[in-house]
Amino acid sequence: MKKKKLFNIILIVTFFLALIHGAESNESTRVLKVGYADCDPIFQDEAGNYSGYGVSYLEEIARYTQWEYEYVFDSWENCMKRLANGELDITIMTHQLSDRRGVFLFSNIPMGYDYPVLYAPSNSDIYYQDYKAFDGARIGVSTETYFQETLNVYLQEMELDCEIVSFPNDSEAKDALAQGTIDMMVSSIFTPQTNVKVVDRFSFSPGYICTSKQNRELMDAINSAMQKIRVRNPNLEEVLMRTF
């Protein structure tokens, strides 16, 4: 009788401990607000599901941190402003420009490398590395990316005299290319394209996870998770590049 009573007590205690542990786990689950723009490798389908290089990489980090994510779409300029004032927790594939280093924290290691790709319409007479045809072309580029700077360097190195046409985002540059307003456009290797062909690739830049200066503890946790990924899943970036 005493053994049965003791067994029942143990069951009851175990049940309540499980409830308490479950409550603590739910309370400790942190939801990070991830800002992303038109140029980022984060994509939402019609059903509201997210995918892309950035999403898969963050999910890998979540294996070590148990974080969940809320994705917030905005212009890149607004994302950086909202990151600085604490409305967002992180941005991804962020480039370490000199004017950002005093305001933001960057992960110790990059989460990947962004490659600018030069596209022409699929029916264009411009072909891969056809530099004579490039000369004099109108090239569209989004101001949400760092690509205008690298495009200028590329054109100087190749001794090409082209007109650079700026657009507020990638979508408007795509529309202009489709309408024939421009001859080529520069976009990220991560951004899906249709009815275009690659005519050149140039430069590359590491992209980092970024947060505000006030989030040192958060960045420490990100660095710890990314280091574990490097050790335990060293081919992650290569696999994600092939996938996306």
Side-chain angles (χ1 to χ4, degrees):
M1 190 71 178
K2 286 183 179 179
K3 287 184 178 180
K4 185 175 181 181
K5 186 176 181 181
L6 180 60
F7 180 71
N8 289 335
I9 291 172
I10 292 172
L11 280 179
I12 293 170
V13 171
T14 303
F15 174 73
F16 279 105
L17 284 175
L19 285 178
I20 292 169
H21 177 71
E24 288 176 348
S25 298
N26 289 335
E27 289 174 1
S28 64
T29 299
R30 182 170 185 179
V31 179
L32 296 188
K33 290 187 177 180
V34 182
Y36 74 102
D38 191 43
C39 53
D40 281 315
I42 296 175
F43 309 102
Q44 184 181 25
D45 63 23
E46 294 180 358
N49 301 311
Y50 289 93
S51 63
Y53 183 104
V55 173
S56 292
Y57 198 101
L58 290 178
E59 287 175 352
E60 188 69 16
I61 287 178
R63 291 181 58 193
Y64 302 97
T65 62
Q66 308 308 311
W67 291 334
E68 295 179 0
Y69 304 102
E70 176 186 340
Y71 294 98
V72 182
F73 180 80
D74 208 333
S75 68
W76 184 247
E77 182 180 1
N78 285 343
C79 280
M80 298 309 289
K81 287 179 181 177
R82 296 173 73 176
L83 188 66
N85 66 27
E87 289 182 56
L88 298 173
D89 294 302
I90 61 172
T91 57
I92 65 162
M93 292 300 294
T94 308
H95 304 290
Q96 284 202 46
L97 305 181
S98 57
D99 60 338
R100 293 175 181 169
R101 293 194 185 102
V103 182
F104 303 104
L105 298 173
F106 294 86
S107 54
N108 289 339
I109 54 180
M111 61 177 289
Y113 292 84
D114 199 0
Y115 296 79
V117 179
L118 192 61
Y119 294 100
S122 55
N123 60 356
S124 171
D125 292 333
I126 300 174
Y127 298 97
Y128 190 73
Q129 295 186 344
D130 182 9
Y131 298 119
K132 287 185 178 180
F134 291 5
D135 208 27
R138 299 160 297 175
I139 304 176
V141 61
S142 167
T143 57
E144 290 196 319
T145 70
Y146 73 100
F147 293 153
Q148 184 157 334
E149 181 180 339
T150 55
L151 178 59
N152 275 318
V153 173
Y154 166 77
L155 294 176
Q156 289 174 8
E157 289 177 347
M158 304 306 297
E159 299 182 351
L160 295 171
D161 183 18
C162 297
E163 178 186 353
I164 297 178
V165 184
S166 298
F167 294 90
N169 53 57
D170 229 42
S171 297
E172 293 194 25
K174 289 179 188 178
D175 291 341
L177 187 67
Q179 295 164 7
T181 308
I182 55 177
D183 304 300
M184 297 184 287
M185 70 170 284
V186 176
S187 187
S188 167
I189 193 173
F190 294 112
T191 306
Q193 304 288 343
T194 56
N195 300 319
V196 296
K197 58 185 175 183
V198 176
V199 293
D200 208 359
R201 298 178 176 87
F202 57 94
S203 182
F204 71 93
S205 182
Y208 299 84
I209 296 178
C210 180
T211 188
S212 72
K213 280 280 190 180
Q214 290 71 41
N215 283 338
R216 169 58 64 184
E217 187 176 343
L218 173 61
M219 184 52 73
D220 287 344
I222 290 170
N223 284 329
S224 176
M226 292 179 76
Q227 187 60 45
K228 290 174 183 175
I229 290 171
R230 278 288 174 95
V231 173
R232 300 174 187 177
N233 193 0
N235 297 320
L236 176 65
E237 293 170 25
E238 181 183 347
V239 170
L240 293 183
M241 285 290 289
R242 287 202 306 264
T243 303
F244 297 104

